[in-house]
């Protein structure tokens, strides 16, 4: 459980007014004092994340948020951060103070959760202090179409029932997407080409490579890992033809040359464009590169905050490659981590280039792509873009014939 990356965990966010008992509820769920509890309203100021496991859902992230009724200038900023949590939430829990009942603040969060089509459950907390009659609970469930459960975070009453309600409402099947497993069969050879450069973390491989290797092994296939400099010799040494070669996008050109045409070739980024995003939309975004002109604005987004070194893919290489293709200078801006432009800010951009999103959960990556679509701003990820620039994208889409057909015909 501890080895599961946060981006692969079901994200469960706890919402409610100040002092509704959100932090106490999280402590009761985790059976740990991980959230700061106080009688002072507004103790939780920023979203707090806790990794845990709820069987049979498995590894999850519980997110404690600031009160949706916070006040003042700082309170408004906290509420804004709370609502932004919805962009990555896959199951929402609304905590209602049994004594106060459902307020306008609660109705607002219910409305926002519904707009984003996120599963929602309700918790009537502090029933040790104020019981809520069955008739009232049934009425709430009917009006808001939300299942409710009574809970006392103080004495643990209703916690197991709450966990079961979370299990029943979590979209577990959606969490079971595969990276490459549906493209291979047991005992297939899969060659993974993983260049080791200055930006590669010492002593380990980057997350998409680790996850792909695990997915290959989980499906009974054989993972063979090599650098691009040893690929040709590796292929010659194998006793049978590999089902698939998967490469880091930065080595696309060389790997394309060294991989015989009768072997299917794709990249980690293209696999992750399908796994966490929208492969069709990202592929069509790549085709918009040719319509860029000198002076256009391009936004480059990364989901993590790694230290950028000389020759960084997002800071140096991609801008250089695109300007060479466009034949002029472009205006680049960069974002990293959890920040993503608001719709109004996004309107000035002619193209968005996003990383593979390995540090983002599928819900947040889906939000980012959908926001670009809403603003009619083309979006592409690193790997798809590099495949397009190097002329290898058409071949790299061989595992996905419908997307390839769309790419060719568009």
């Amino acid at each position: 459980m501890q080895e599961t990356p946060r981006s692969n965990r079901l994200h469960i966010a706890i919402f409610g007014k100040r002092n509704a008992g959100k932090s106490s509820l999280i402590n009761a769920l985790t059976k740990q004092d991980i959230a700061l509890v106080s009688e002072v309203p507004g103790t939780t100021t920023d979203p707090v994340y806790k990794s845990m496991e709820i069987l049979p859902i498995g590894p999850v992230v519980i997110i404690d948020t600031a009160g949706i009724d916070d006040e003042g200038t700082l309170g408004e900023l906290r509420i804004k951060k709370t609502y932004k949590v919805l962009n990555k939430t896959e199951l929402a829990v609304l905590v209602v103070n049994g004594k106060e009942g459902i307020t306008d603040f609660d109705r607002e969060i219910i409305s926002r959760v519904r707009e984003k089509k996120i599963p929602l459950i309700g918790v009537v907390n502090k029933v040790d202090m104020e019981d809520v009659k069955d008739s009232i609970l049934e009425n709430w469930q009917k009006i808001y179409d939300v299942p409710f459960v009574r809970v006392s975070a103080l004495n643990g009453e209703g916690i197991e029932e709450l966990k079961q309600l979370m299990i029943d409402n979590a979209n577990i099947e959606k969490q079971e997407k595969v990276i490459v497993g549906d493209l291979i069969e047991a005992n297939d050879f899969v060659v993974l080409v993983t260049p080791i450069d200055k930006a590669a973390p010492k002593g380990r491989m980057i997350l998409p490579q680790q996850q792909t290797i695990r997915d290959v092994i989980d499906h009974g296939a054989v993972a063979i890992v090599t650098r691009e400099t040893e690929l040709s010799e590796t292929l010659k040494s194998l006793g049978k033809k590999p089902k698939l070669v998967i490469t880091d996008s930065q080595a696309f050109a060389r790997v394309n040359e060294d991989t015989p045409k009768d072997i299917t070739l794709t990249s980690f980024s293209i696999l992750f464009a399908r796994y966490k995003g929208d492969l069709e939309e990202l592929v069509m975004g790549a085709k918009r590169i040719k319509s860029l002109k000198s002076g256009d604005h391009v936004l480059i987004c990364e989901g993590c905050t790694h230290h950028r070194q000389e020759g960084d893919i997002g800071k140096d290489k991609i801008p250089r490659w695109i300007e060479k293709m466009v034949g002029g200078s472009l205006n680049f801006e960069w974002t990293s981590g959890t920040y993503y432009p608001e719709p109004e800010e996004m309107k000035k951009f002619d193209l968005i280039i996003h990383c593979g999103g390995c540090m983002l959960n599928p819900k947040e990556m889906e939000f980012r792509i959908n926001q670009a679509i809403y603003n009619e701003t083309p979006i592409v990820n690193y790997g798809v873009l590099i495949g397009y620039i190097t002329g290898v994208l058409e071949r790299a889409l061989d595992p996905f014939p419908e997307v390839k057909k769309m790419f060719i015909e568009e």
Side-chain angles (χ1 to χ4, degrees), residues 172-386:
I172 299 175
E173 290 183 2
K174 191 174 181 181
Q175 311 307 313
E176 295 177 348
K177 293 171 65 177
V178 297
I179 300 170
V180 70
D182 58 332
L183 305 176
I184 58 178
E185 297 177 358
N187 299 314
D188 280 343
F189 281 11
V190 181
V191 177
L192 302 102
V193 184
T194 60
I196 305 298
D197 57 24
K198 289 188 298 184
K202 291 284 187 182
R204 62 182 177 89
M205 306 176 78
I206 61 174
L207 188 56
Q209 295 169 359
Q210 295 178 42
Q211 292 177 301
T212 305
I213 291 171
R214 175 59 189 264
D215 199 38
V216 169
I217 296 172
D218 281 345
H219 287 85
V222 179
I224 301 159
V225 184
T226 184
R227 296 182 301 180
E228 76 281 18
T229 47
E230 286 76 45
L231 174 61
S232 183
E233 188 61 32
T234 299
L235 294 175
K236 291 176 184 176
S237 302
L238 296 179
K240 66 177 182 179
K241 184 173 76 173
K243 178 68 172 289
L244 187 62
V245 171
I246 305 170
T247 181
D248 184 283
S249 301
Q250 295 188 64
F252 245 145
R254 176 163 184 173
V255 172
N256 180 50
E257 290 181 6
D258 290 348
T259 303
K261 300 304 178 186
D262 62 338
I263 298 176
T264 303
L265 168 67
T266 193
S267 76
F268 294 104
S269 285
I270 287 174
L271 292 174
F272 270 74
R274 181 183 70 138
Y275 178 58
K276 287 198 175 181
D278 183 335
L279 180 58
E280 292 184 10
E281 189 66 33
L282 296 171
V283 166
M284 297 318 298
K287 298 198 73 169
R288 297 288 291 274
I289 296 172
K290 62 185 178 183
S291 65
L292 290 175
K293 58 186 182 301
S294 182
D296 278 350
H297 293 261
V298 177
L299 176 67
I300 299 180
C301 300
E302 294 188 338
C304 64
T305 54
H306 71 275
H307 175 66
R308 293 190 175 103
Q309 303 181 44
E310 184 179 351
D312 181 79
I313 180 69
K315 189 71 174 179
D316 299 325
K317 292 181 179 178
I318 285 178
R320 185 171 68 248
W321 292 335
I322 296 182
E323 287 186 332
K324 183 178 180 181
M325 177 173 279
V326 172
S329 297
L330 298 167
N331 294 303
F332 290 97
E333 293 184 29
W334 291 264
T335 68
S336 60
T338 59
Y339 176 74
Y340 194 64
E342 298 290 342
E344 287 301 315
E345 299 176 80
M346 192 179 285
K347 288 181 179 179
K348 71 175 180 179
F349 296 109
D350 302 287
L351 177 69
I352 296 172
I353 304 171
H354 207 290
C355 69
C358 65
M359 300 304 292
L360 306 176
N361 73 331
K363 183 71 178 181
E364 185 166 8
M365 197 66 204
E366 177 186 352
F367 159 75
R368 293 184 174 205
I369 293 173
N370 286 341
Q371 186 159 303
I373 294 172
Y374 176 80
N375 281 277
E376 299 183 346
T377 307
I379 183 169
V380 62
N381 83 347
Y382 283 13
V384 173
L385 178 144
I386 296 170

Side-chain angles (χ1 to χ4, degrees), residues 22 24 32-34 64 87 96 134 196 236 322 324 357:
K22 300 184 298 298
S24 298
Q32 299 178 55
D33 292 330
I34 59 159
D64 187 11
N87 297 332
V96 176
D134 288 343
I196 305 298
K236 291 176 184 176
I322 296 182
K324 183 178 180 181

